[in-house]
DNA sequence: GGGTTGCATGTTCACGTCAACATGCGATGC
DNA sequence: GCATCGCATGTTGACGTGAACATGCAACCC
């Protein structure tokens, strides 16, 4: 039976199913089991038989049915990724890396969005998740939502948490936020700024909290005064707003923003108020997003290795899925990228 | 049997399977079919029976097995999304919208990355795809790769193409690139610029081509001279490079960049060479990414409605999946957002 | 009151795959 | 020459679900 005939047959009876192992077996004159063996690349098949089967597969346009495979084996070769809006630079880059790493390992990615980070929504996402065909989950949302909600992840489901903390319930892969924040703060102090102001991310974000705490600790360690924190929401808008506040205070000479977007907003505020960067005010960001080298002035920032985070989280998860070994949490280093937005105070 | 006991049982014999319909049926004292009916929300079940079944499901921690369901029904309730790197602002926003729209419709998203846009890679992605458990596919890659390669998408698989063209093989959901480019160009001309230079996206991108063609057509329609095109690669780096070239030419007073990132690079080039924006040179972007309002100066740009694109493509695809009707192609409008990077020539 | 209708529920079986076990056959050992 | 082994291949059944069909029972009609 040719592929065209096959499809015609199926079109006729209204089903859209592709050819099955049985069809291939018939075409090749072997048993279904032999087709299965060829399909799974086992070596205990006579080369000649294998060729015949492969030829039959090709001519019929056979594709293994992943649902049947999953049903039989109990494994889906799929990883669920739960995340808020992708609209954060870091999340996006991390997801990208996860997708690539997963594909390399033969896993597909099942994206589960949580449009609004409320407990209700998280709950819904998790409920949905439990019906999803995934072998494990990578969570890229603020974990406090896990702590507080009575949401239950399906037990026995391997989980890796990214860029957050999760008590010690799950392994965590995170950027070394504290290290990055220390690098940024020390860089500014080493330029002889008396102290460093901080435009932080939202209160409930762990990344934001870690960066802020490390900034504060670094200032204290160097005997510098700790100015009040300005809290933003990661957006350049909020950076702009807080930047305007800082611009009014002539004693401010060094600002560490918790991400590049807010740093961009701060830069805009400085331009608007005529305060020279880096002449009067130095600014450091966090993330090293692709665009930050084109900001004006090009932004000194802390580079995160999102690819590494994605890669490691997939690695950890698949390890857990395949060998049952629960991974340990790991930190990914950061590095300071000095560009043109920092200089000694006037 | 309680949930704990149930899991203990399974742990003991080494299987990690959850309880099945049969377990629930036994617990509730009904047949499997009745459980199935409750599970699928059919209304022909006695309320009392339904409650008993729901209670049994809860106590056992029952979750429908999606693999078995898919095997039986031939439907996966899953949409495959094929895309290059997420690292483009537009792709990311579109994906986000797709994910949300799909979730609302009860579909999950299967992300299939194509790290390198070569034919070989595309081929691999498609091969992989054919084993994936998806009911349809949304393709967000430059479609010429489809045209040229001998890659075969599984026949009968519904496909929607986003932000590209696809001959008339598949329905296309696209932003009205031409309209946007015309808005941008006319805005600059209306400010009395003699002509408008264009920093285009890569040759092989359809979006880039459409924008460029519309820019050129608009200039011609207004009797303006058409200057040579500068071709970038969407990155702010390339915008910077080409911007430096443009900055050297004093006759350049208006620049339309094919995306915001390249516009950012152009802005940087102007700052570096001391050419005032918008005093000496006006710059318009395309996309209206979240950050562009915080560029210096805040960027005049063409807003794309990525959410709408994502929503419509999901709608079109699901329509095709569920009713078999092939959708028609649609265009999503754009709008000009005037900020501070444009002004009449000096 | 016999037949019909409507509704809740049960029984059977097939979806496509693959593990486990079975078969068959040539080669090898003593 | 007979037992044994290795290897390619075949047969059977189960994974969990839900469509199709079957059953059983109460209400209703003329």
């Amino acid at each position: 039976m040719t592929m065209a005939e096959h499809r015609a047959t199926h079109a006729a009876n209204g089903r859209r199913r592709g050819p099955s192992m049985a069809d291939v077996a018939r075409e090749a004159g072997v048993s279904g089991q032999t087709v299965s063996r060829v399909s799974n690349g086992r070596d205990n098949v006579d080369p000649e038989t294998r060729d015949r089967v492969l030829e039959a597969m090709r001519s019929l346009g056979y594709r293994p049915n992943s649902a049947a495979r999953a049903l039989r084996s109990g494994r889906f070769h799929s990883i669920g990724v739960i995340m808020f809006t992708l609209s954060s630079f870091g999340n996006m880059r991390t997801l990208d890396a996860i997708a690539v790493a997963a594909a390399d390992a033969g896993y597909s990615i099942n994206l589960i969005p949580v449009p609004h980070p409320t407990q209700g929504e998280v709950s819904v996402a998790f409920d949905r998740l439990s019906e999803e065909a995934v072998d494990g989950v990578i969570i890229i949302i603020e974990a406090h939502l896990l702590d507080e909600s009575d949401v239950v992840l399906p037990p026995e489901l391997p989980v890796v948490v990214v860029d957050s903390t999760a008590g010690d319930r799950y392994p965590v892969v995170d950027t070394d936020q504290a290290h990055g924040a220390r690098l940024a703060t020390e860089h500014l102090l080493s330029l002889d700024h008396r102290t460093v102001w901080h435009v932080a991310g939202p209160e409930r974000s762990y990344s934001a909290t870690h960066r802020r705490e490390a900034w504060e600790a670094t200032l204290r360690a160097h005997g510098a005064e700790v100015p009040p924190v300005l809290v933003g929401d990661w957006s350049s808008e909020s950076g702009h707003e807080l930047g305007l506040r800082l611009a009014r205070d002539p004693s401010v000479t060094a600002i560490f923003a918790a991400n590049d977007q807010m740093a961009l907003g701060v830069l805009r505020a400085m331009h608007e108020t005529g305060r020279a960067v880096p002449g009067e005010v130095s600014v450091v960001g966090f993330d090293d997003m692709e665009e930050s080298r084109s900001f004006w002035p090009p932004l000194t920032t802390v580079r995160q290795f999102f690819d590494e985070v994605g890669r490691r989280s997939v690695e950890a998860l698949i390890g857990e899925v395949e060998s049952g070994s629960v991974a340990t949490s790991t930190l990914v280093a950061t590095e300071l990228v000095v560009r043109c937005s920092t200089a000694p105070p006037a």
Side-chain angles (χ1 to χ4, degrees), chain A:
Chain A
M1 185 158 71
T2 69
M3 180 148 124
E5 288 165 37
H6 177 88
R7 284 213 275 115
T9 305
H10 279 249
N13 66 22
R15 303 304 270 129
R16 285 284 188 77
R17 304 254 184 189
S20 74
M21 261 181 26
D23 298 319
V24 175
R26 207 174 311 116
E27 174 87 2
V30 297
S31 74
Q33 186 54 43
T34 299
V35 177
S36 168
R37 282 190 266 254
V38 172
S39 178
N40 290 353
R42 305 230 185 282
D43 57 0
N44 54 347
V45 179
D46 187 280
E48 197 182 315
T49 309
R50 174 189 308 277
D51 288 346
R52 199 146 32 90
V53 171
L54 288 174
E55 177 50 33
M57 286 180 172
R58 207 171 8 253
S59 80
L60 293 179
Y62 167 76
R63 302 295 180 184
N65 180 314
S66 59
R69 202 171 254 188
L71 175 59
R72 187 79 235 300
S73 67
R75 291 273 304 285
F76 301 95
H77 287 281
S78 179
I79 295 175
V81 178
I82 301 184
M83 60 189 320
F84 290 155
T85 169
L86 296 171
S87 304
S88 121
F89 170 73
N91 281 0
M92 173 187 92
R93 285 287 308 279
T94 306
L95 175 61
D96 198 4
I98 287 174
V100 172
D104 285 349
Y107 282 71
S108 65
I109 290 297
N110 196 161
L111 192 60
I112 301 160
V114 183
H116 306 292
T118 61
Q119 287 199 21
E121 293 275 356
V122 173
S123 240
V124 168
F126 281 25
D127 279 357
R128 170 168 300 138
L129 174 70
S130 54
E131 300 198 18
E132 295 298 343
V134 296
D135 300 312
V137 188
I138 297 177
I139 300 181
I140 322 190
I141 59 178
E142 294 302 335
H144 58 80
L145 285 162
L146 303 184
D147 299 338
E148 292 170 15
S149 63
D150 50 357
V151 170
V152 185
L153 273 169
E156 311 278 348
L157 189 66
V159 172
V160 169
V161 174
V162 172
D163 255 19
S164 190
T165 53
D168 41 13
R169 292 201 290 159
Y170 303 117
V172 174
V173 176
D174 196 2
T175 291
D176 192 342
Q177 315 285 354
H179 180 241
R182 187 152 50 79
L183 287 177
T185 311
E186 283 179 348
H187 168 64
L188 290 165
L189 292 176
S190 77
L191 291 171
D192 279 339
H193 290 277
R194 276 192 41 245
T195 188
V196 175
W197 292 67
H198 184 47
V199 176
E203 301 271 8
R204 294 166 59 88
S205 154
Y206 279 104
S207 311
T209 307
H210 288 154
R211 291 174 200 176
R212 173 180 164 172
E213 286 171 355
W215 156 78
E216 189 171 333
T218 306
L219 287 184
R220 287 194 201 290
H222 288 258
E225 188 197 341
V226 178
V229 176
L230 294 94
V231 177
D233 63 4
W234 297 130
S235 75
S236 59
E237 270 305 283
S238 72
H240 176 233
E241 217 169 280
L242 299 171
L244 288 174
R245 289 232 286 274
L246 290 169
R248 264 187 241 118
D249 181 344
S251 78
V252 174
T253 66
I255 302 170
F256 165 41
N259 75 348
D260 285 355
Q261 273 118 321
M262 293 195 295
L264 177 66
V266 170
L267 290 179
R268 178 184 168 199
M270 295 304 149
H271 291 309
E272 282 175 4
T273 54
R275 305 211 47 187
V277 179
E280 297 172 63
V281 179
S282 289
V283 177
V284 176
F286 203 111
D287 277 356
D288 191 28
M289 59 191 285
E290 140 91 11
E291 283 76 32
S292 58
R293 74 187 59 191
S294 298
F295 291 175
W296 186 250
L299 187 68
T300 293
T301 189
V302 176
R303 175 174 298 163
Q304 289 202 62
F305 297 91
F306 298 103
D307 292 357
E308 181 70 12
V309 171
R311 225 178 41 68
R312 283 202 205 172
S313 51
V314 168
E315 212 168 75
L317 187 67
I318 292 183
E320 194 167 335
V321 168
E322 296 190 346
S323 71
S325 62
V326 176
T328 54
S329 298
T330 60
L331 282 183
V332 176
T334 55
E335 109 192 354
L336 184 72
V337 181
V338 179
R339 295 207 181 93
C340 315
S341 63
T342 49

